[in-house]
Amino acid sequence: MALRLPALPALARRVLGGVLLVGTVVLTPVTAAAGFLAAAFATANIPLLALCGLVVAAGTAALLGRGAFALLGKGGVRATCVLTGVLLLAVSALAAGTILRPMPTSAAAPAPPGVSFWNLPTGSRIAYVHAPAVGTPKPTPVVFLHGGPGTPTEGIPTGGRELAAAGFDVYSYDQVGAGRSTRLSDITQYTVARQVADLDAIRRTIGADRIIVVGQSWGGSLAAQYLLAHGTHVAKAVFTSPGALWGHEYPGSAAGDPWQHLTAAQRSDRDRLDSKPRLIAADLLLQVNPNAAHALVGDREVDHWMHEMALLGKDTTSCADAAPTEAHANPQGFYSNQMTVKDFERLPDPRPRLRAVHVPALIMRGDCDFIKPAVTQEYRQTLPDSRIVHIKDAGHAISHSRPALYTALLRSFLLDRPLPAPAS
């Protein structure tokens, strides 16, 4: 049958109306998410963000739906209201089952014996462990700085008790936002300056004019920042597999990718952990309004998630044939990690000023370390009174790979004795 020309406009309107109706269904949740995120520029109140998202979604559904029904030549206001109501219910159900659905948490493990707390004048409540000096204490306590940021250790670190036996007071603490220490309500306060201020407050709290700092990974970056701010209060510094000296030069994983040796199964597990819609929403909010991210996803949720990620990757930074690393229950600190790293990457270049800091420094690097050699070498090139030790059969955690050699190096360096081989 021949198609009559007058029918073409009507058919086109029905096709266009159908397309617009499908577009209404697709675009309504998209604009709801956009409204949710856009409102975060003005507030961190999650109910208000959700309300803004629903208002934008309702406007989208009503506007596009009315146009679709007009083109289709049926329905009208009533149909538009019904469609808008159905889509708002669908958006609400989708949000409730994804970004508003809490992620798993874990019950806080009781602190093991030996954990104490400092209430610092900075406002931080810091968990720490202390190995007292045997005999007459030396005037320079040793303070271990853990990595991450936000990845604490548990108990006295490897080598700590041997240093205590040699006469050093030894301390190891959970940096603010990690472990059993304070979680900040305003996460924008997780800055390098806050970490440096906490460390100097610890020095004053333990009554030391000068301290010895031993920094692992990020702890090495923090030790360098402390040297920059308070070099006269540092007797010696040890940098173990240190992270970037200047965050702006090596942002993100540019200093080295700790995930490069994942198996296919581990990559699949990582993708599963990374793809949680609630976590993706929090990550987007971190770029817009960090405190909105914190209001949406609390510390217990993301710290548990970070712990799962740490368990997944705990052996990926060791040499291929290394023994498994023993896990512990001291919780990670997600927001401390995210915000401190972001702040670290904004800091000015510390190297010109560090070249004038004359503090004896020992740098250790394992030959399986994922951190790029140039990153480690930069410490040697910048710190005038430093020396570097290259350690075979050791990964990022030298104290785990070669505990006896690591301890001997620490002890010899701090006691001004010749370093054991291998050294260069």
Side-chain angles (χ1 to χ4, degrees):
M1 178 182 292
L3 186 64
R4 292 182 297 176
L5 289 177
L8 284 174
L11 177 59
R13 285 168 63 87
R14 286 197 295 270
V15 170
L16 185 57
V19 170
L20 190 55
L21 190 60
V22 172
T24 304
V25 173
V26 172
L27 288 175
T28 297
V30 174
T31 56
F36 181 89
L37 287 173
F41 282 99
T43 180
N45 185 291
I46 298 304
L48 190 54
L49 297 184
L51 178 61
C52 289
L54 288 176
V55 168
V56 173
T60 301
L63 181 64
L64 297 182
R66 181 64 182 272
F69 288 127
L71 287 168
L72 291 169
K74 61 178 80 173
V77 175
R78 182 176 179 182
T80 301
C81 291
V82 170
L83 176 65
T84 301
V86 169
L87 288 178
L88 287 182
L89 286 174
V91 167
S92 299
L94 180 63
T98 55
I99 66 171
L100 298 179
R101 182 182 180 183
M103 297 190 301
T105 61
S106 53
V115 174
S116 301
F117 293 87
W118 289 306
N119 291 309
L120 301 180
T122 58
S124 300
R125 185 171 189 264
I126 296 296
Y128 73 97
V129 289
H130 174 213
V134 175
T136 303
K138 289 180 168 52
T140 49
V142 176
V143 181
F144 282 84
L145 308 176
H146 66 69
T151 308
T153 55
E154 183 75 290
I156 298 296
T158 299
R161 297 203 180 279
E162 289 79 1
L163 293 180
F168 294 97
D169 268 311
V170 174
Y171 296 90
S172 179
Y173 71 97
D174 299 343
Q175 294 160 26
V176 63
R180 300 179 180 90
S181 293
T182 300
R183 297 297 190 275
L184 301 178
S185 57
D186 179 0
I187 66 170
T188 64
Q189 297 303 305
Y190 288 125
T191 63
V192 176
R194 175 63 175 263
Q195 299 282 9
V196 168
D198 279 351
L199 178 53
D200 198 54
I202 289 169
R203 176 191 64 79
R204 288 181 274 111
T205 297
I206 62 180
D209 179 59
R210 296 199 300 167
I211 57 176
I212 297 166
V213 289
V214 181
Q216 160 69 28
S217 192
W218 150 253
S221 304
L222 175 57
Q225 289 293 319
Y226 188 76
L227 273 175
L228 192 66
H230 303 286
T232 57
H233 292 297
V234 180
K236 291 184 178 182
V238 178
F239 301 90
T240 307
S241 308
L245 190 59
W246 183 28
H248 181 75
E249 185 179 31
Y250 293 101
S253 60
D257 183 6
W259 302 101
Q260 59 185 325
H261 297 305
L262 291 178
T263 65
Q266 287 172 325
R267 282 195 296 271
S268 177
D269 287 341
R270 185 190 177 195
D271 290 343
R272 173 183 56 81
L273 289 169
D274 274 342
S275 62
K276 295 178 182 291
R278 185 166 168 86
L279 187 69
I280 294 171
D283 185 59
L284 291 171
L285 286 173
L286 276 172
Q287 314 312 313
V288 175
N289 183 344
N291 284 322
H294 189 222
L296 176 66
V297 187
D299 291 295
R300 289 188 61 200
E301 289 181 59
V302 283
D303 289 357
H304 175 81
W305 174 87
M306 190 172 173
H307 182 67
E308 287 187 297
M309 290 291 280
L311 291 176
L312 176 64
K314 69 181 179 66
D315 297 319
T316 61
T317 62
S318 302
C319 296
D321 57 350
T325 305
E326 185 178 350
H328 60 74
N330 199 11
Q332 278 77 21
F334 175 82
Y335 288 118
S336 174
N337 173 276
Q338 297 292 300
M339 300 306 295
T340 306
V341 167
K342 189 175 182 179
D343 180 64
F344 182 56
E345 293 174 358
R346 291 193 296 251
L347 296 181
D349 187 351
R351 294 170 298 183
R353 289 172 57 198
L354 282 173
R355 291 188 182 104
V357 176
H358 289 275
V359 171
L362 174 65
I363 306 153
M364 299 190 212
R365 175 183 172 79
D367 61 357
C368 297
D369 193 0
F370 71 88
I371 297 291
K372 294 175 181 177
V375 175
T376 313
Q377 191 64 33
E378 194 162 54
Y379 283 80
R380 175 66 190 91
Q381 294 167 346
T382 301
L383 299 171
D385 298 335
S386 66
R387 60 186 305 183
I388 191 167
V389 175
H390 297 278
I391 301 175
K392 294 181 179 180
D393 302 320
H396 190 58
I398 299 171
S399 60
H400 168 70
S401 305
R402 303 289 303 276
L405 178 58
Y406 172 79
T407 299
L409 285 165
L410 274 182
R411 198 170 183 276
S412 297
F413 177 67
L414 298 193
L415 293 173
D416 296 317
R417 295 174 181 173
L419 297 184
S424 62

